[in-house]
Amino acid sequence: MTEVKTLRKDLKLRHLELISLGGIIGSAFFLGTGYIIAQGGPAVLISYALGGLIVFLVMLCLCELTVAMPSSSSFIQYASDYISPTWACGTGWSYWLNWIAYIPAECTAAGIIMHYIIPSVPAFTWAMLFGLMITVINLSKVRIFGEMEFWLSIVKIVAIVMFSVLAIFIFFGLYKSGGKMPTIGTEYLLGDGGFFPHGKLVVISLMVMLLVNFQGSEIVCLAAAESTDTDVAIPRASRNIAIRIVLLYLVPVLLLVLIFPWNKMESDTSVFVLALQQYGFHWVAGVFTFVILTAAFSCANSGMYATVRALYGLSNQKMAPKIFSRLNRHQVPMPAAIFTLICIWIFLILSYFFSSTTAFSYLLSISGFTGAVCWISICWSQYNFRKHCKKHKIELKGKFRTPFYPLVPLLGIWLQVACLVLLFFNEELRPAFYFGVPAVLLPMAIYWLYKKYSKASNHIEQSL
C-alpha cells in the first residue's frame, strides 16, 4: 500500500450534483412517502416545505465553509475548529454510525424488491449481492463511483418527472380513465377530515422523519476534496441541489395528495404506483419497481462513499485510529473503506434474523436524529466561523458568503432543535432517542477521557 497525502481530484461538477441527489432520493422516498402522508394528511405539504427550507439554510452555511476551507474532513473539521473537538468527535462518529445502519436497510429493501420479481431467490441473497456490488464500487477509483451515481440518479429523477407529468394530466382532466374524464379539484386535498385531519402539531413532529429523506445533500461537500475547481463547483452545486430538492420532493408530493386520497396511502408499497394505477396506468408498476430498486442501490452506494470519507476525516482530526487516514495507490482511503464495509456486512448479516419492515422504520427515525445533529453542527460552525472572521478582521472578498447572517444559521439551528424536541413526544418515533443520544454522547465521552488521560500522561512525563 502506497502512502499519499491527498485524495485524487477526479470528481466533476456534474458528479457532485448527482452524487448529492443520489444520497437523498432513496427507497425511503418511494416507499415511505405513503406512511408520512397517512400520518399527517395533506398538511404534510407544510412539513415538506419546512424541510426544504432547512436544507436550503444548511447548504448555504456549508457552502461558505467549504469554499473558504475545502477539506476532506468537511463538517467534522469545521466543528472541531469552530465549536470544539469533543463535539466534532460526537457528531462525526454518530454520522458514521448513521450510515452503517442505514446502508444495510437499503440493501435489504432492494433484496425484497428483487424477491418479488424473482421469488425463487430469497430476499436476503439479493441483499448480499447488492452489498457485494457496493463493496466493489467503493474500493475502486473515485471516478467510477462518480459515473455510477451520475447515471443512477438520472434514472430516479426521470421517474419523478414522469410521475409529475402524468399527475398534472390527471388533475387537469387531460387524460381519460375508462372513457371518462376525472374531475378532482380539491376533493382529496380538503376532503376526509380537511387539510389538518390529525391536527397541526403533527406537521412539526413528522419533520425528523422527513429530514431523513433530505439527508445526503451534505455529501456534496464531503466530496469537495476530490473535485476540481472547488470555488466555482461547490457554490453552484449547493444552490442547485437545494432548489432541486424542493422541486423533486414538494411538487410530486403536492400532486400526489391532489390525485389520491391520503387515507388510502399504504406504507408497504409505492403510493406513486397506487395513484397512477387508480387512473389506468397499470404499466407503471413495472417501471417504478425498477426505479425503487435503482433508488435503494444508489442511496446505499452514495451513503457508503459518505461514511468512508467521514471516517477518513475523523482519522485526520485524530478522533479515530491513524490507519484510517491512509490512502492506496488510487488515492482511495482503503483501510477506512475496509473497516466500514466489515461493519456494514455485520449489520447486513444480522438483518437476516429480524423483520426488515420494522427495522427499516426505526432506522429512518434514528437516521433522522443523528442527521439533524450533524446539520445543527454545520449551521453552528458557520455562525462561529463568521464571528471568528469578524473578530480577526478576515475578509471573505471574492468567496461565497452566506446571505442574511446571522439569521440563516440561527434559523437553521433552532428549527432543527424544535424538531428533535418534538420527536421525543412522538411515542412511535421516540426509540430514535434511545440510539441517537448515546451515538452522539458516547464518542464525546471517550474522546474527552482520552484527551484528559493524554494530558495527564504528558504532565507526568515532563515532571519526571
Side-chain angles (χ1 to χ4, degrees):
M1 184 176 294
T2 303
E3 187 83 21
V4 290
K5 292 184 179 180
T6 59
L7 298 167
R8 186 186 297 275
K9 294 181 178 293
D10 270 352
L11 296 179
K12 300 177 182 178
L13 175 59
R14 64 184 179 90
H15 293 144
L16 289 179
E17 292 182 337
L18 273 298
I19 284 170
S20 187
L21 287 176
I24 63 169
I25 307 175
S27 61
F29 175 62
F30 293 103
L31 295 176
T33 301
Y35 168 81
I36 293 173
I37 296 177
Q39 292 292 310
V44 297
L45 289 170
I46 299 175
S47 302
Y48 273 99
L50 285 172
L53 173 62
I54 290 174
V55 174
F56 191 61
L57 297 174
V58 172
M59 291 303 292
L60 286 175
C61 293
L62 187 54
C63 182
E64 177 179 301
L65 291 168
T66 305
V67 171
M69 301 165 290
S71 170
S72 57
S73 306
S74 189
F75 55 85
I76 299 170
Q77 179 175 328
Y78 307 145
S80 178
D81 292 344
Y82 297 104
I83 302 177
S84 81
T86 303
W87 172 266
C89 184
T91 55
W93 275 106
S94 66
Y95 183 80
W96 181 82
L97 286 168
N98 164 36
W99 285 107
I100 289 296
Y102 188 76
I103 292 169
E106 288 287 5
C107 291
T108 302
I112 292 170
I113 295 165
M114 285 302 298
H115 179 63
Y116 285 133
I117 299 173
I118 308 177
S120 60
V121 181
F124 180 72
T125 302
W126 286 113
M128 297 288 282
L129 179 61
F130 280 104
L132 182 62
M133 292 171 62
I134 290 167
T135 299
V136 173
I137 291 171
N138 280 275
L139 292 180
S140 305
K141 293 181 180 179
V142 71
R143 183 185 292 274
I144 296 175
F145 163 77
E147 286 296 330
M148 179 69 71
E149 274 306 297
F150 178 81
W151 293 108
L152 290 174
S153 296
I154 284 177
V155 171
K156 295 182 287 186
I157 293 168
V158 169
I160 293 173
V161 172
M162 181 188 73
F163 168 81
S164 299
V165 171
L166 292 175
I168 290 171
F169 271 68
I170 292 169
F171 181 75
F172 287 104
L174 301 175
Y175 170 75
K176 293 183 179 180
S177 177
K180 297 181 180 180
M181 200 78 75
T183 303
I184 302 173
T186 58
E187 176 185 352
Y188 298 139
L189 187 66
L190 302 178
D192 296 317
F195 191 70
F196 295 96
H198 297 301
K200 297 178 180 179
L201 189 61
V202 72
V203 172
I204 304 298
S205 64
L206 284 171
M207 281 295 298
V208 172
M209 287 287 285
L210 287 174
L211 289 177
V212 176
N213 288 337
F214 293 126
Q215 283 166 18
S217 55
E218 74 284 343
I219 296 174
V220 68
C221 292
L222 272 172
E226 293 170 86
S227 65
T228 56
D229 199 11
T230 305
D231 286 359
V232 176
I234 296 300
R236 178 179 164 185
S238 299
R239 285 192 296 263
N240 290 348
I241 287 163
I243 294 169
R244 290 174 189 178
I245 284 172
V246 175
L247 293 177
L248 291 174
Y249 274 88
L250 190 58
V251 172
V253 172
L254 169 61
L255 292 169
L256 183 62
V257 298
L258 285 175
I259 68 171
F260 195 72
W262 67 267
N263 53 6
K264 291 185 179 179
M265 301 283 183
E266 297 180 12
S267 58
D268 58 351
T269 187
S270 173
V271 288
F272 298 98
V273 172
L274 291 177
L276 293 179
Q277 285 182 328
Q278 176 177 272
Y279 296 95
F281 293 98
H282 299 290
W283 55 268
V284 81
V287 174
F288 265 81
T289 297
F290 171 72
V291 171
I292 295 169
L293 186 66
T294 302
F297 179 74
S298 173
C299 189
N301 193 38
S302 59
M304 177 64 197
Y305 174 89
T307 195
V308 169
R309 269 57 184 181
L311 183 56
Y312 173 76
L314 284 165
S315 180
N316 282 337
Q317 296 297 312
K318 299 180 180 180
M319 299 171 186
K322 187 178 180 180
I323 190 174
F324 295 139
S325 61
R326 295 182 65 186
L327 307 176
N328 68 1
R329 61 189 179 88
H330 297 304
Q331 293 169 260
V332 171
M334 186 63 72
I338 292 173
F339 178 72
T340 299
L341 284 165
I342 290 172
C343 295
I344 289 172
W345 275 96
I346 291 172
F347 269 78
L348 191 56
I349 293 170
L350 288 175
S351 68
Y352 177 78
F353 302 99
F354 298 94
S355 167
S356 57
T357 304
T358 303
F360 192 73
S361 62
Y362 279 128
L363 284 168
L364 286 181
S365 57
I366 291 167
S367 180
F369 183 94
T370 55
V373 171
C374 171
W375 281 12
I376 289 170
S377 177
I378 290 170
C379 295
W380 190 3
S381 298
Q382 189 274 334
Y383 177 77
N384 288 346
F385 168 70
R386 189 68 73 83
K387 287 175 65 177
H388 171 82
C389 291
K390 184 177 180 180
K391 180 179 179 180
H392 297 278
K393 299 180 180 179
I394 299 173
E395 289 289 335
L396 295 176
K397 188 176 181 181
K399 294 182 179 287
F400 179 86
R401 299 185 65 178
T402 300
F404 305 110
Y405 176 87
L407 178 62
V408 166
L410 290 178
L411 187 60
I413 291 170
W414 291 112
L415 279 176
Q416 292 178 92
V417 169
C419 292
L420 292 180
V421 170
L422 288 172
L423 177 69
F424 182 77
F425 295 99
N426 188 320
E427 291 185 10
E428 190 171 346
L429 302 179
R430 192 179 299 163
F433 269 84
Y434 305 147
F435 179 90
V437 173
V440 176
L441 296 182
L442 187 59
M444 291 174 64
I446 294 172
Y447 181 78
W448 183 81
L449 289 172
Y450 168 75
K451 295 295 287 185
K452 186 176 181 180
Y453 174 78
S454 298
K455 287 181 179 180
S457 298
N458 292 334
H459 181 71
I460 292 172
E461 288 178 4
Q462 289 176 0
S463 64
L464 293 174

